[in-house]
């Protein structure tokens, strides 16, 4: 791949304690959503809906890989992994994770995220919107298990549900 000016690394998140001694590490959620949905608008206009979704999913996947490496890890049992993930997602105010079913032998997990950072409270548009989360969750599960997962959002605030529900299925060779 060609050289990138801003290849992602965790360092790009910066030294927030140094840089924001007065304002601190949090910002209003509207600002995060403003960034996300204006970027999505531009990407969709330039590349179409399908490609924009693909780009968001890929960015979510990259985020999930980095997030796992820096925030999770060090756990070997699935139950411990989920517990740690729930704690971190809540502490960072990303969302409230619940596991509905987990059949690890069959490689199928159904999970929900309530009060989701990306979509909770959005207008209903009859279409699931959390493609970034799909990539993010796929990368977390893959990082933990070493297996590739396909993650699909099946219910979303934007489809009239009050939680986002995702199915995760292992991709078998
Ligand atoms: Zn959603």
């Amino acid at each position: 791949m060609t050289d990138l000016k801003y290849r992602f690394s965790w360092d790009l998140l910066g030294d927030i304690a140094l840089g924001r001694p007065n304002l601190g590490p949090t910002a209003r959620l509207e600002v995060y959503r403003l960034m996300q949905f204006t970027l999505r608008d531009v990407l969709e206009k330039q590349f179409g809906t399908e490609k924009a979704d693909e780009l968001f999913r890929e960015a979510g996947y990259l985020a999930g890989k980095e997030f796992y490496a820096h925030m999770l890890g060090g756990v070997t049992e699935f139950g411990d992994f989920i517990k740690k993930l729930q704690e971190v997602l809540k502490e960072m105010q990303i969302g409230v994770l619940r596991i509905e079913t987990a059949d690890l032998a069959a490689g199928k997990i159904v999970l929900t995220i309530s009060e989701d950072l990306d979509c909770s409270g959005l207008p209903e548009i009859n279409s699931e919107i959390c493609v970034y989360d799909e990539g993010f969750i796929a990368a977390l599960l893959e990082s933990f298990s070493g297996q590739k997962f396909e993650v699909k959002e099946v219910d979303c605030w934007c489809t009239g549900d009050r939680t986002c529900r995702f199915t995760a299925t292992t991709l078998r060779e």
Side-chain angles (χ1 to χ4, degrees):
M1 201 185 282
T2 51
D3 276 348
L4 297 178
K5 191 173 176 189
Y6 291 111
R7 179 179 299 283
F8 184 80
S9 82
W10 203 254
D11 290 342
L12 275 176
L13 303 183
D15 185 338
I16 295 168
L18 174 71
R20 305 221 332 164
N22 298 300
L23 294 177
T26 60
R28 291 277 295 270
L29 188 51
E30 294 95 316
V31 181
Y32 167 87
R33 289 184 176 178
L34 181 67
M35 164 74 172
Q36 166 157 187
F37 288 107
T38 51
L39 182 59
R40 175 183 284 273
D41 179 291
V42 172
L43 288 174
E44 211 174 326
K45 276 184 196 138
Q46 294 253 1
F47 301 113
T49 303
E50 203 172 311
K51 189 69 185 175
D53 278 351
E54 190 186 316
L55 293 170
F56 262 87
R57 197 177 287 110
E58 193 175 324
Y61 180 85
L62 176 58
K65 283 275 172 188
E66 295 285 334
F67 192 84
Y68 185 89
H70 290 88
M71 304 298 296
L72 299 163
V75 286
T76 51
E77 296 297 318
F78 183 73
D80 295 337
F81 163 62
I82 293 301
K83 189 161 176 278
K84 193 165 179 183
L85 180 58
Q86 280 171 327
E87 285 168 4
V88 173
L89 293 181
K90 190 170 178 197
E91 187 193 309
M92 297 190 81
Q93 297 163 286
I94 293 171
V96 181
L97 167 71
R98 287 191 189 87
I99 300 295
E100 288 194 335
T101 59
D103 185 343
L104 298 180
K108 192 162 167 92
I109 300 165
V110 180
L111 58 92
T112 61
I113 299 186
S114 300
E115 302 195 32
D116 184 79
L117 189 59
D118 294 305
C119 77
S120 248
L122 260 60
E124 288 182 25
I125 53 169
N126 294 318
S127 175
E128 293 86 4
I129 203 165
C130 301
V131 286
Y132 183 91
D133 293 20
E134 289 177 350
F136 187 75
I137 294 164
L140 293 179
L141 293 172
E142 182 187 324
S143 298
F144 171 75
S145 69
Q147 285 182 294
K148 288 253 177 215
F149 277 84
E150 183 176 55
V151 175
K152 186 84 197 76
E153 188 181 37
V154 291
D155 295 313
C156 182
W157 186 285
C158 295
T159 59
D161 293 277
R162 284 297 170 264
T163 188
C164 297
R165 182 170 286 104
F166 298 87
T167 59
T169 315
T170 47
L171 291 170
R172 302 199 189 268
E173 307 295 301

